[in-house]
């Protein structure tokens, strides 16, 4: 096997196998190297190559929504000729971690996250002021399935067994008013350090510990505890799905009666096409939809056909819906809570 093919194989395993099940131990890259039968240097170099090429954003923690801060999905209706200028302005706010153009009258969609509601609302108000257009806020009320781990060895529409059961099936839907106790100063500093991703050094948790001002074992203990408590949804390689070929991504929004939405959301969460499923508030008269699903695919027609089949199979054709394909990604970073 040539060196190029070896590197390609290593990078595939890093992308595919360690989006979760990442070793939380003092020398995690050595552990990955032992599992793959290669040198530790090859693992570190492979991850650095994937980061530089844009296929991954970082290695590290994906925090559960609103467990340690607040966030909202937001949308603006921007004249097409102003979209690039407004998107660039929105990107300058550190509270904004995702920012997309979508096919709709509301054509600019972004996610804003902050450590407190006051800070979040101050950022939204400032965005409105600088953009000159009102912001539609759609904070998450319940999550039914949220897991953007991609199994690259599966065909489109197949959910990996390693992804685990969707939230609605595993433990019922989650209301998002559950918070962890107030953070200690050390924990706050650790969250700030984790926002940047795991340093690509032989003892990355020791590097984090030095930055935070504690011992390596304390960093590992807190990360393990947060994983067990569900504060961290997963710890591992965070991929950029568009760079991996998932460019036909659609947000399916539906207007479901309040007394039926939980049952329907639970059913949708079990479907292999659905990568995200969550409840958000209606904002009448501007926005009538309350159930949001994401379908990540590689071909537009395939995604449209999948949505049509899904709605027919689950007898949802009587409910109003819309499909918002993403057209451009202006920003995709990890959330910043501090």
């Amino acid at each position: 096997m040539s060196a190029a093919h070896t590197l390609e194989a290593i990078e595939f395993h890093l992308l595919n196998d360690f989006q979760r099940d990442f070793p939380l131990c003092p020398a995690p890259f050595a552990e990955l190297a032992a599992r793959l039968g290669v040198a530790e240097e090859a693992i570190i170099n492979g991850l650095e190559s994937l980061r530089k090429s844009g296929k991954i954003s970082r290695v590290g923690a994906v925090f559960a929504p609103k467990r340690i801060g607040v966030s909202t999905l937001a949308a603006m209706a921007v004249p097409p000729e102003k979209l690039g200028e407004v998107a660039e302005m929105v990107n300058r706010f550190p509270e904004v971690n995702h920012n997309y153009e979508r096919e709709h009258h509301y054509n600019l969609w972004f996610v804003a996250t902050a450590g407190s509601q006051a800070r979040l609302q101050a950022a939204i108000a400032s965005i409105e002021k600088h953009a000159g257009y009102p912001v539609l806020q759609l904070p998450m009320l319940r999550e039914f399935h949220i897991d953007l781990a991609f199994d690259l060895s599966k065909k489109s529409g197949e959910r990996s067994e390693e992804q685990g059961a969707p939230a609605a099936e595993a433990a019922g839907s989650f209301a998002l008013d559950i918070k962890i106790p107030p953070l200690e100063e050390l924990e706050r500093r650790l969250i700030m350090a984790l926002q940047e991703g795991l340093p690509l050094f032989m003892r990355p948790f020791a590097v984090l510990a030095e930055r935070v001002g504690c011992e390596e074992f304390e960093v590992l203990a807190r990360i393990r505890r947060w994983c067990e408590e569900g504060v961290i949804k997963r710890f591992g390689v965070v991929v950029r799905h568009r760079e991996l070929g998932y460019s036909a991504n659609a947000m399916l929004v539906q207007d479901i009666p309040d007394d039926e939405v939980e049952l329907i959301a639970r059913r949708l969460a079990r479907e292999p096409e659905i990568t995200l499923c969550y409840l958000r508030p209606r904002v009448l008269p501007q926005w009538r939809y309350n159930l949001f699903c994401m379908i990540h695919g590689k071909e537009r027609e395939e995604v449209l056909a999948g949505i049509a089949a899904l709605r027919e199979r689950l007898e949802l054709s009587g409910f109003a819906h819309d499909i918002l394909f993403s057209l451009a990604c202006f920003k995709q970073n990890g959330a910043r809570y501090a």
Side-chain angles (χ1 to χ4, degrees):
M1 183 181 292
S2 70
H5 284 118
T6 301
L7 178 60
E8 183 177 322
I10 292 171
E11 290 188 352
F12 177 83
H13 282 294
L14 291 173
L15 285 170
N16 195 61
D17 300 351
F18 302 111
Q19 295 175 49
R20 55 179 69 254
D21 192 31
F22 187 87
L24 295 175
C25 62
F29 304 126
E31 173 64 24
L32 296 185
R35 294 185 193 181
L36 297 181
V38 298
E40 182 181 24
E41 184 181 11
I43 297 296
I44 294 174
N45 289 343
L47 289 169
E48 181 63 24
S49 173
L50 290 170
R51 188 189 64 79
K52 288 182 176 178
S53 67
K55 292 181 180 179
I56 68 173
S57 62
R58 67 192 187 282
V59 178
V62 176
F63 286 93
K66 293 191 176 182
R67 297 302 198 274
I68 60 170
V70 294
S71 64
T72 188
L73 177 66
M76 283 194 291
V78 181
E81 66 275 13
K82 295 282 189 180
L83 188 62
E85 175 186 340
V86 173
E88 183 178 354
M89 180 276 297
V90 170
N91 284 353
R92 289 199 289 268
F93 283 80
E95 292 83 2
V96 173
N97 56 301
H98 286 191
N99 190 10
Y100 287 88
E101 177 188 4
R102 295 193 181 279
E103 290 181 345
H104 195 266
H105 167 67
Y106 284 103
N107 54 352
L108 190 66
W109 291 77
F110 59 93
V111 176
T113 303
S116 69
Q117 188 64 234
R119 179 178 157 192
L120 178 65
Q121 292 308 314
I124 296 294
S126 186
I127 288 172
E128 283 188 323
K129 178 181 177 181
H130 286 84
Y133 306 104
V135 173
L136 184 70
Q137 295 190 55
L138 300 165
M140 190 184 302
L141 301 178
R142 288 183 179 271
E143 62 173 278
F144 295 92
H145 178 61
I146 301 181
D147 193 340
L148 273 179
F150 291 88
D151 189 337
L152 306 181
S153 65
K154 297 284 185 181
K155 295 180 180 178
S156 180
E158 291 183 330
R159 179 177 290 161
S160 168
E161 292 179 5
E162 287 74 21
Q163 284 179 293
E169 186 175 9
S173 62
F174 290 104
L176 295 181
D177 54 359
I178 302 171
K179 296 284 196 304
I180 63 173
L183 295 172
E184 302 172 5
E185 177 59 22
L186 185 147
E187 291 177 321
R188 188 188 67 80
R189 292 200 301 268
L190 178 55
I191 288 170
M192 291 178 66
L194 284 171
Q195 289 174 165
E196 306 300 327
L198 204 59
L200 298 180
F201 295 102
M202 289 175 21
R203 298 289 291 259
F205 297 106
V207 176
L208 287 181
E210 185 176 353
R211 293 176 183 174
V212 170
C214 66
E215 299 295 327
E216 180 184 51
F217 76 89
E218 294 179 272
V219 166
L220 283 164
R222 278 169 171 77
I223 292 173
R224 291 190 190 109
R225 190 187 74 199
W226 283 338
C227 289
E228 291 169 0
E229 293 174 346
V231 175
I232 293 177
K233 288 188 69 70
R234 61 184 176 89
F235 195 104
V237 176
V238 182
V239 303
R240 295 183 184 274
H241 55 270
R242 294 179 70 89
E243 282 72 11
L244 296 178
Y246 292 88
S247 57
N249 305 315
M251 185 168 71
L252 169 64
V253 293
Q254 300 178 96
D255 182 11
I256 308 295
D258 293 340
D259 60 350
E260 298 181 59
V261 70
E262 181 144 350
L263 176 61
I264 289 172
R266 286 172 176 267
R267 294 168 65 194
L268 280 165
R270 297 187 182 98
E271 295 295 322
E273 297 94 339
I274 302 297
T275 49
L276 306 172
C277 182
Y278 34 65
L279 178 69
R280 297 189 184 275
R282 300 180 183 88
V283 181
L284 299 175
Q286 299 97 319
W287 187 260
R288 65 182 296 185
Y289 304 109
N290 61 337
L291 188 59
F292 289 60
C293 295
M294 281 298 303
I295 298 92
H296 289 77
K298 296 185 176 182
E299 301 292 339
R300 182 187 180 96
E301 293 306 316
E302 178 186 14
V303 171
L304 286 171
I307 290 173
L310 180 70
R311 282 176 47 82
E312 181 178 358
R313 184 166 66 252
L314 298 186
E315 300 180 338
L316 301 177
S317 57
F319 302 119
H321 78 291
D322 209 340
I323 301 171
L324 288 70
F325 275 93
S326 60
L327 299 179
C329 175
F330 297 116
K331 188 176 185 180
Q332 184 184 352
N333 291 335
R336 294 184 174 272
Y337 297 97

